[in-house]
Amino acid sequence: MSGTSRTTGPGRRSVRVRTAMAVVAAAGLACAGLTALPASAAVGTLSAQYRTSAAGATADQAEPWFEITNTGSTGVPLSEVTLRYYFKAESAGTAYRFACSWAVKGCANITGTFGTLANPTATADRYLEIGFTSGAGTLAPGQNTGDMQLRFYRADWQRLTQSDDYSFNGAQTAYADWTKVTLQRGGSVVWGTAPAGNNPTDPPTDPPTTPPTDPNAPALFDDFRYASSSDPALQSHGWTVKSGQGGPGVPGATWSPQDVTFVAGTGADKVMNLRLTTDGTAAGTKETELQTSARKFRNGTYAARVRFDDTAAGGPDGDHIVQTFFAFTPLNAPMDPDYSEQDFEYLPNGGWGEPGNIMYTTSWETYNPDPWNAVNTHSENRASYDGWHDLQVTIDNSAITYSIDGQVFGTHGEPYLPETSQWIDFNHWLIDLTGQTGSTARSYDQQVDWVYFVKDQVLTPAQVAARVAAYRSAGTAFTDTVPGS
């Protein structure tokens, strides 16, 4: 958590204080048996196994779970593979949200997008397309992906009907081959049969749908074109630079406004630099933080372009530093039910028991600082994130979805949704003094190119990129039309 101190990593402290919304299932509905495998799939190199954990004719959310098996003789990079699950929308205007509950390959390596079929049928006019990032790796011959526990639900969280969905089989509650989903590799179908007249193509003739958005929705955008941390415009634009002492981080460390600087970027652009310095002592440690003055952000899309750094800017490397982008509500008392937080936290040198680089996205319900008791959930990836990345969090009344560089990193639901308005924050701090024990002074940099928030709108990463490009094309360095809470 970046708003206060903690002593263990997110993966070691998840506890729930209230029960998440349960999936309600009606009586099971027997579906048609397996269809014959088409000739094009008979010589394929992949097969799909399906089961459902929400077997009712109607449900709060559909839960199609999958395994994909390599039936060929050579390895298959999963980044070349997509799977389509076909269903009938409740209405033409109904929007859906995808989530990954758990996966052997890691939810951070699995994507889900929705599309509209070019030739609707009585049992399908939409599809959910599952894809994989390069982090999912290669599927060796005879190997399968293991469990992919996936789900999707209506954006308005009303119940959905599954009994009229082409790919649904409420009787299949254990994994078995299922040919009413399709697997594609390199634009060719290698498994399954699509609804009549809807064989997938590459590029698709039925591309994923883009949710409608309001171009006039209240928004904040800042390109960070300031002279220094004492620039009067920084405060007038609603930012506070932290000073003095206090968590998170090493007790006795100091928050240094002078180390929040604005340096040359591309062309006339500038980027904010958050520098952390230490000599291995608390008194010799200076951390940095920039936070919105107004607490007025809740549901909507939060995004920023951030540069993480795996190496020290000066001096020896190895300190347990945390580089962040997050939103949060203050903790007014232990286990305060109104507390919330959504974190991107990158640890380039490990920490919290981790030996090397790791990215956490963590959603918080509440916590008790002493004795430590945290109610949160998280997604993680042990990999380097050195360099520039587009970070995005979307929050609506049903889900918190984290994305990095356009790929879904993790999705969290109740009880972790924020109950009240939040601040937006960036900080750069030191977990402890054990990562690098020398007394030589060293420094670390985290940079931020821009930040964007739009109220009550769930935007795709492509839509965020277009909005940011439009601001820059218009010469808009700053705007804030988000009303106070």
Side-chain angles (χ1 to χ4, degrees):
M1 167 174 60
S2 294
T4 189
S5 294
R6 64 180 173 193
T7 56
T8 57
R12 297 171 176 80
R13 43 186 171 65
S14 291
V15 183
R16 287 184 180 266
V17 293
R18 65 175 185 251
T19 303
M21 181 176 291
V23 175
V24 180
L29 181 72
C31 290
L34 297 179
T35 59
L37 190 65
S40 61
V43 294
T45 57
L46 297 168
S47 64
Q49 291 73 47
Y50 159 81
R51 60 159 292 193
T52 181
S53 61
T58 65
D60 287 332
Q61 55 188 356
E63 298 191 33
W65 295 9
F66 297 105
E67 291 182 347
I68 298 173
T69 300
N70 182 352
T71 58
S73 58
T74 59
V76 176
L78 282 170
S79 59
E80 299 177 1
V81 177
T82 56
L83 180 152
R84 285 190 179 184
Y85 178 95
Y86 302 91
F87 66 99
K88 182 77 170 179
E90 270 59 45
S91 70
T94 304
Y96 296 88
R97 301 279 183 261
F98 165 78
C100 173
S101 298
W102 186 81
V104 172
K105 290 293 184 181
C107 284
N109 296 315
I110 297 174
T111 64
T113 55
F114 294 96
T116 301
L117 290 180
N119 299 294
T121 71
T123 58
D125 54 16
R126 305 278 185 95
Y127 62 85
L128 168 64
E129 182 165 286
I130 304 303
F132 301 89
T133 70
S134 59
T138 295
L139 210 55
Q143 185 183 50
N144 72 31
T145 58
D147 245 350
M148 292 187 288
Q149 298 181 8
L150 312 179
R151 56 192 171 92
F152 66 92
Y153 50 90
R154 292 177 57 167
D156 59 8
W157 204 246
Q158 299 300 305
R159 290 180 68 80
L160 51 78
T161 298
Q162 304 187 98
S163 56
D164 60 354
D165 291 348
Y166 177 84
S167 294
F168 173 71
N169 184 356
Q172 196 154 310
T173 56
Y175 278 118
D177 285 356
W178 187 235
T179 59
K180 296 184 78 171
V181 298
T182 57
L183 289 173
Q184 297 75 231
R185 183 184 179 192
S188 299
V189 176
V190 297
W191 174 267
T193 305
N198 292 283
N199 202 46
T201 60
D202 189 14
T205 55
D206 47 354
T209 53
T210 300
T213 61
D214 179 3
N216 299 312
L220 163 71
F221 173 73
D222 202 327
D223 217 5
F224 294 118
R225 299 181 193 176
Y226 301 104
S228 69
S229 62
S230 59
D231 188 334
L234 192 65
Q235 182 176 4
S236 68
H237 288 172
W239 294 105
T240 298
V241 184
K242 190 171 183 176
S243 60
Q245 295 185 339
V250 175
T254 301
W255 296 94
S256 173
Q258 293 75 26
D259 288 320
V260 178
T261 59
F262 300 88
V263 300
T266 303
D269 190 24
K270 285 188 173 183
V271 297
M272 175 173 66
N273 194 78
L274 302 174
R275 173 158 289 188
L276 181 150
T277 61
T278 185
D279 61 4
T281 68
T285 298
K286 294 181 180 180
E287 304 167 319
T288 44
E289 179 171 80
L290 184 80
Q291 177 184 303
T292 57
S293 305
R295 185 180 141 203
K296 59 180 183 177
F297 310 95
R298 188 181 171 188
N299 286 4
T301 298
Y302 303 72
R305 183 161 175 78
V306 177
R307 184 180 183 273
F308 300 117
D309 204 327
D310 282 354
T311 58
D317 197 7
D319 289 288
H320 292 157
I321 60 173
V322 186
Q323 302 178 338
T324 77
F325 168 48
F326 64 105
F328 78 107
T329 297
L331 185 81
N332 293 317
M335 306 305 284
D336 178 4
D338 287 337
Y339 173 78
S340 62
E341 187 166 340
Q342 305 86 43
D343 297 330
F344 283 98
E345 292 177 311
Y346 180 52
L347 282 59
N349 295 321
W352 294 323
E354 293 290 335
N357 12 44
I358 186 168
M359 175 69 78
Y360 288 114
T361 60
T362 309
S363 302
W364 291 76
E365 165 63 8
T366 190
Y367 71 98
N368 183 12
D370 189 19
W372 183 255
N373 182 16
V375 184
N376 62 27
T377 189
H378 81 283
S379 303
E380 65 186 39
N381 189 31
R382 292 172 178 82
S384 171
Y385 284 83
D386 185 72
W388 285 103
H389 297 281
D390 293 329
L391 311 181
Q392 181 168 316
V393 186
T394 61
I395 305 175
D396 59 19
N397 289 325
S398 59
I400 304 166
T401 301
Y402 298 87
S403 300
I404 300 180
D405 297 330
Q407 300 296 321
V408 173
F409 188 91
T411 301
H412 307 150
E414 282 288 17
Y416 308 105
L417 302 176
E419 287 87 0
T420 59
S421 297
Q422 307 184 119
W423 289 295
I424 295 175
D425 204 309
F426 301 89
N427 63 17
H428 192 181
W429 52 281
L430 184 65
I431 295 173
D432 55 41
L433 300 172
T434 64
Q436 163 59 253
T437 57
S439 59
T440 303
R442 55 266 191 191
S443 60
Y444 302 86
D445 290 336
Q446 172 190 349
Q447 295 185 332
V448 184
D449 189 5
W450 49 260
V451 64
Y452 174 67
F453 171 83
V454 59
K455 180 179 170 62
D456 296 331
Q457 302 284 297
V458 174
L459 269 59
T460 66
Q463 288 171 324
V464 169
R467 298 280 179 94
V468 171
Y471 283 128
R472 286 183 156 175
S473 295
T476 302
F478 173 82
T479 184
D480 183 3
T481 59
V482 181
S485 59

